[in-house]
Amino acid sequence: MTGGIPNANGGVPKTPAKSLRPRLLGLGRGLLSSSFSGLWLALVAFPIVIMRFDATARSIDFLWERLPRLVAVCVAGAIAFRFLLRHKAMGAFRERLSLGASSPKGDPRGRLGRLYDGLSGGRARIPLAIALGLLLLCLPFRSNPYSVSIYTTALIYITLGLGLNIVVGVSGLLNLGYVAFYAIGAYTYALLNTHFGLGFWVCLPLGALAATLLGFLLGLPILRVSGDYLAIVTLGFAEIVRLVLDNLKFTNGPRGIPHIAHPGFFGLDLDKSVKPFLVGRGLLHPNTDLDQVLLYFIVLAVVALTVVCVHRLENSRLGRAWLALREDEVACQAMGVSRWRAKLTAFTLGSTWAGLAGVIFASQITFINPKSFSFMLSVIILSIVVLGGMGSIPGVILGAIVLILAPEYLRFFDDYRMLLFGLIMVLMMVFRPEGIIKATRKVREYKRHADGESGEGAPEEGAPEGAPAR
Amino acid sequence: MSGMDASDPVLVAVGVTVEFGGIRALDGLSLEVGRGSITALIGPNGAGKTTFFNCLTGIYRPKSGDLFFLPGDGRTIPLTLLSPDRVTQQGIARTFQNIRLFNNLTVLENVLIACHCRMKAGLLGALLRDSRTMREEREMEEYSFALLDRYGLGGQVNELAKNLPYGEQRRLEIVRALATRPKLLLLDEPAAGLNDRETEDLAGLIRLIRDELELSVLLIEHDMGLVMGVSERIHVMDYGKPIAEGTPEEIQRDPEVIRAYLGEG
């Protein structure tokens, strides 16, 4: 890419010294231009890093001592970025060169993808699955309440991610208002619980149903638009839902709904009856409530159910229609798939899982208000899908874990958390646009039935283009 | 098969007119496609051939005129009001001038999607995987594989469509169209971008398909070698109107056609 200007010295490019000069020239130019990029970056970051508003003195402090570090970090970052970009371009170039030959590096899934394949496909598959299952089952008992609540949150986001994955990843419908359906689920439970005393288990399907219904009703008019327009309409819809919740009297407006019940367990008070026993034997962290552990298991079950459902859907007639819709709308219709129906089912079913997650969220946090359902949340869920890998179930799960757990454990970065988040997203889009774990297609094995039939099959095996022989 | 009876059409177009703004893309086009025939539709660029296909398949709605499809079971189906997916369900399949495969899906999945309208499984079937759904899935997979294998793509079932060589992408588009089990197959410039050998293979494929699957083929093509070699009937269009019709020999001699292609003089 940098290549440099052709050497003006002329002569035979035999000695390494002569070919070195243009390369060094190129390197110098690269360093220069990335240094400029770095300075520009430092300028952008200047107000965040250097300027500090002092609220009591009502003045702005300039932390000049940070300046050298800021510039150094930005320039180094820009140089590293340029180097990586070049590396990537060279990799693609080499791949194209070796495309004719059977290239061992031709696997487009990358190292992580291969690692995942190795873990999920090989002989280690069953023991690994059992180990993972046991780990997930034991996890909440030994953890402190804070960790358990983070795990539960991560699981809720996995559900949300998998639900949105149906809409965005599989069907290619950019939905920026997914949080609206999440809110509908949460409010359904909150209202039914506080006004009518309905329990969690009754409300779980009801919340999902409410979100589904709303998804269907909204889907009817808006699926006429597609692409960017769909994104804008769904975004607007989510804002409308939030504003309505903010202004309605019976949702208690911005003050929200407090005292939402945790899920019950056959009317037993676990924390009174079982907890002392478990804590006494050292099987439970003394500060962790069994209510929390129960909720963790509920979400875990919901996630397991979701994974099974989404996997089955993807490999069905309906799921293939969604994939076709994502790939090419015109061809999809020409193949006899009703575009309208495929869109509507994807949109509606996606909302179902948002509703489910909403009910669980409300029961976890026991207090909801419209602020919990901001546009930012839609963006985070979308990021989970995009970062993890569009249409890839393990990818979305990993994406949710990374995006939800990382900020929790990165709290010491404090103000720069979101900055870091943005940086990760940019880097991902540049270097791995297909997500952490790329979606793979199912591989099928077939045997030819040739020997049983008319006997034409045998010669065709050798010459695949047997047709024109006739 | 050879008996191409003019009184037994599979497709009838009567005075089809399509306008885009002030431009008449089709100007009262009338033509018939005989059942079981391989018919070609030729004409200079911009003559309205693809527009005609788009009318047939429900992508455009003609301003006036009628299109009838006679699948051969005694029904006469008016096409002008059907949506593209309904047209396919009735038994008309098409390929596209600029290949439109489902690029990130495997070859087999491309064909399986085309089986969509011949399958019944719904949401519950997908989630519960009852025996009927699974049987249908298996049958369709086997059917798709057999189709691919028969028409020369049996070795690439698990390949992503975008990774196929160009010629095989064209072939896959045809096989995918066949999986919708059409009575009438519309091919929009299937030889575009193919080399001579591949074009020859394609001619064989088209004939083979027609004979084995008992369908009719309507073909848009610029490659005169293919058109003259494979088609039994040729319609020539220019400026949205038919200017000549006949057998390949008749068309080659037609002064009207020569003028349309080579210009005045």
Side-chain angles (χ1 to χ4, degrees):
Chain A
M1 287 185 81
T2 26
I5 321 159
N7 199 340
N9 289 351
V12 199
K14 222 157 110 188
T15 51
K18 272 187 182 156
S19 66
L20 201 62
R21 209 181 143 204
R23 286 188 69 179
L24 276 177
L25 258 174
L27 189 69
R29 287 162 143 229
L31 283 177
L32 200 66
S33 86
S34 31
S35 301
F36 272 119
S37 314
L39 285 177
W40 175 81
L41 193 64
L43 197 68
V44 172
F46 184 83
I48 316 170
V49 182
I50 307 291
M51 286 158 73
R52 176 91 354 141
F53 180 65
D54 191 339
T56 46
R58 296 192 152 273
S59 65
I60 294 172
D61 300 335
F62 289 88
L63 309 170
W64 289 113
E65 72 276 9
R66 287 185 174 186
L67 189 62
R69 230 178 346 155
L70 172 71
V71 173
V73 166
C74 287
V75 170
I79 290 172
F81 185 72
R82 194 186 173 87
F83 171 76
L84 284 171
L85 262 185
R86 207 179 119 82
H87 185 72
K88 186 191 170 204
M90 285 307 287
F93 179 62
R94 267 189 224 112
E95 202 166 274
R96 200 171 305 159
L97 277 184
S98 63
L99 204 69
S102 59
S103 51
K105 281 187 136 189
D107 183 4
R109 300 197 61 207
R111 227 167 285 145
L112 247 172
R114 276 199 298 272
L115 179 71
Y116 173 73
D117 279 348
L119 290 181
S120 65
R123 208 182 299 163
R125 186 181 177 174
I126 294 167
L128 260 175
I130 292 172
L132 188 69
L134 279 177
L135 179 73
L136 284 174
L137 288 178
C138 298
L139 198 59
F141 291 105
R142 302 295 305 154
S143 313
N144 57 28
Y146 175 65
S147 297
V148 176
S149 78
I150 293 179
Y151 298 149
T152 310
T153 306
L155 286 172
I156 291 176
Y157 277 89
I158 291 177
T159 315
L160 284 169
L162 287 171
L164 187 63
N165 182 40
I166 296 179
V167 189
V168 178
V170 179
S171 316
L173 305 169
L174 187 50
N175 183 351
L176 286 182
Y178 198 59
V179 74
F181 305 104
Y182 187 48
I184 296 299
Y187 266 90
T188 305
Y189 176 49
L191 290 172
L192 288 178
N193 183 257
T194 50
H195 288 288
F196 301 99
L198 290 183
F200 173 82
W201 293 104
V202 182
C203 290
L204 191 62
L206 284 181
L209 196 72
T212 311
L213 204 68
L214 198 78
F216 180 76
L217 288 179
L218 178 69
L220 283 177
I222 69 167
L223 291 177
R224 290 178 171 280
V225 295
S226 55
D228 308 347
Y229 302 100
L230 181 70
I232 290 168
V233 175
T234 48
L235 190 153
F237 171 73
E239 282 304 291
I240 290 170
V241 167
R242 197 176 58 80
L243 286 173
V244 166
L245 292 176
D246 227 346
N247 288 291
L248 277 184
K249 212 164 234 163
F250 76 95
T251 62
N252 222 0
R255 274 169 301 161
I257 304 176
H259 309 305
I260 307 165
H262 279 305
F265 187 71
F266 302 110
L268 280 175
D269 192 345
L270 290 171
D271 284 320
K272 277 211 181 103
S273 53
V274 193
K275 189 180 169 184
F277 173 78
L278 287 175
V279 173
R281 313 252 151 146
L283 290 172
L284 184 70
H285 194 286
N287 289 340
T288 306
D289 283 344
L290 277 175
D291 270 357
Q292 277 191 304
V293 177
L294 176 67
L295 191 70
Y296 170 88
F297 281 122
I298 292 171
V299 200
L300 193 62
V302 168
V303 167
L305 185 79
T306 309
V307 168
V308 171
C309 284
V310 173
H311 177 76
R312 288 189 165 192
L313 281 171
E314 265 182 8
N315 292 295
S316 71
R317 172 175 180 258
L318 190 60
R320 282 192 299 267
W322 293 341
L323 287 167
L325 189 72
R326 178 190 74 188
E327 291 294 311
D328 190 324
E329 265 190 40
V330 175
C332 157
Q333 281 186 295
M335 290 306 118
V337 176
S338 163
R339 181 179 63 170
W340 181 83
R341 197 179 286 182
K343 275 189 179 180
L344 196 57
T345 47
F347 199 78
T348 309
L349 272 175
S351 325
T352 309
W353 269 283
L356 270 181
V359 174
I360 297 167
F361 170 71
S363 78
Q364 183 203 15
I365 206 142
T366 68
F367 165 75
I368 54 168
N369 71 352
K371 273 219 176 75
S372 322
F373 307 101
S374 64
F375 171 62
M376 195 55 210
L377 198 58
S378 282
V379 173
I380 289 178
I381 304 168
L382 186 68
S383 310
I384 287 174
V385 177
V386 174
L387 185 86
M390 302 251 269
S392 149
I393 296 174
V396 170
I397 293 175
L398 200 62
I401 293 172
V402 168
L403 279 192
I404 301 309
L405 294 191
E408 295 294 339
Y409 291 112
L410 290 177
R411 280 203 184 274
F412 52 88
F413 278 101
D414 198 32
D415 295 343
Y416 308 113
R417 221 151 42 118
M418 289 319 278
L419 217 60
L420 212 66
F421 184 89
L423 187 70
I424 292 173
M425 289 305 278
V426 169
L427 291 178
M428 278 297 291
M429 286 307 98
V430 172
F431 294 108
R432 213 177 159 76
E434 66 278 356
I436 302 176
I437 298 179
K438 198 182 166 193
T440 45
R441 308 308 318 155
K442 199 173 157 192
V443 172
R444 296 164 169 92
E445 296 289 333
Y446 285 97
K447 280 192 216 100
R448 290 187 173 82
H449 300 283
D451 37 344
E453 285 170 16
S454 57
E456 291 176 333
E460 258 190 26
E461 262 182 25
E465 282 153 330
R470 309 168 101 229
Chain B
M1 277 302 105
S2 60
M4 208 219 79
D5 196 347
S7 65
D8 180 20
V10 68
L11 181 77
V12 181
V14 188
V16 179
T17 301
V18 174
E19 282 186 5
F20 299 119
I23 299 160
R24 287 212 156 176
L26 287 181
D27 191 3
L29 180 79
S30 299
L31 60 81
E32 287 189 3
V33 176
R35 185 176 310 286
S37 72
I38 297 176
T39 305
L41 190 58
I42 63 173
N45 284 326
K49 305 177 298 284
T50 300
T51 305
F52 180 58
F53 267 24
N54 286 340
C55 281
L56 278 178
T57 50
I59 295 174
Y60 299 153
R61 197 146 289 181
K63 189 176 169 233
S64 63
D66 278 307
L67 290 159
F68 297 105
F69 173 53
L70 303 92
D73 50 9
R75 288 181 304 160
T76 303
I77 301 160
L79 293 174
T80 40
L81 294 175
L82 294 183
S83 61
D85 49 300
R86 302 283 299 166
V87 170
T88 310
Q89 280 162 32
Q90 297 296 345
I92 298 180
R94 72 171 294 179
T95 65
F96 293 91
Q97 191 175 344
N98 41 351
I99 305 179
R100 279 177 174 269
L101 289 170
F102 305 122
N103 276 327
N104 296 307
L105 306 182
T106 65
V107 168
L108 187 81
E109 280 170 326
N110 267 273
V111 178
L112 271 175
I113 287 167
C115 297
H116 185 90
C117 60
R118 307 295 172 223
M119 294 172 78
K120 291 195 186 69
L123 177 61
L124 273 181
L127 290 177
L128 302 177
R129 294 207 166 165
D130 54 306
S131 60
R132 203 170 41 159
T133 309
M134 292 320 282
R135 187 167 358 107
E136 186 186 58
E137 265 309 285
R138 216 168 32 244
E139 277 170 13
M140 283 303 161
E141 267 186 30
E142 268 164 27
Y143 167 79
S144 303
F145 178 69
L147 204 63
L148 282 166
D149 198 32
R150 180 74 193 107
Y151 298 116
L153 288 167
Q156 285 99 316
V157 198
N158 290 317
E159 203 72 50
L160 291 190
K162 66 177 174 194
N163 293 344
L164 289 184
Y166 189 80
E168 287 182 353
Q169 291 195 0
R170 287 257 174 228
R171 189 173 278 259
L172 174 58
E173 240 206 345
I174 296 176
V175 177
R176 185 180 68 171
L178 292 178
T180 66
R181 310 200 186 168
K183 294 268 177 277
L184 174 64
L185 179 63
L186 307 176
L187 301 175
D188 197 347
E189 298 198 19
L194 299 188
N195 62 30
D196 288 352
R197 210 191 96 90
E198 287 170 327
T199 306
E200 221 170 275
D201 290 351
L202 179 71
L205 180 69
I206 293 173
R207 264 187 238 113
L208 181 70
I209 285 168
R210 192 270 306 266
D211 293 345
E212 286 193 343
L213 302 176
E214 295 179 0
L215 43 77
S216 320
V217 178
L218 180 60
L219 168 82
I220 293 177
E221 191 45 75
H222 282 302
D223 186 311
M224 282 308 137
L226 180 72
V227 170
M228 296 302 165
V230 80
S231 44
E232 288 139 3
R233 200 92 192 146
I234 297 175
H235 293 270
V236 191
M237 282 175 70
D238 199 12
Y239 298 111
K241 275 187 245 183
I243 56 170
E245 191 219 323
T247 61
E249 294 75 33
E250 288 165 0
I251 293 300
Q252 273 164 327
R253 269 178 278 132
D254 195 306
E256 217 23 67
V257 178
I258 295 165
R259 189 159 57 243
Y261 267 90
L262 302 178
E264 309 292 331

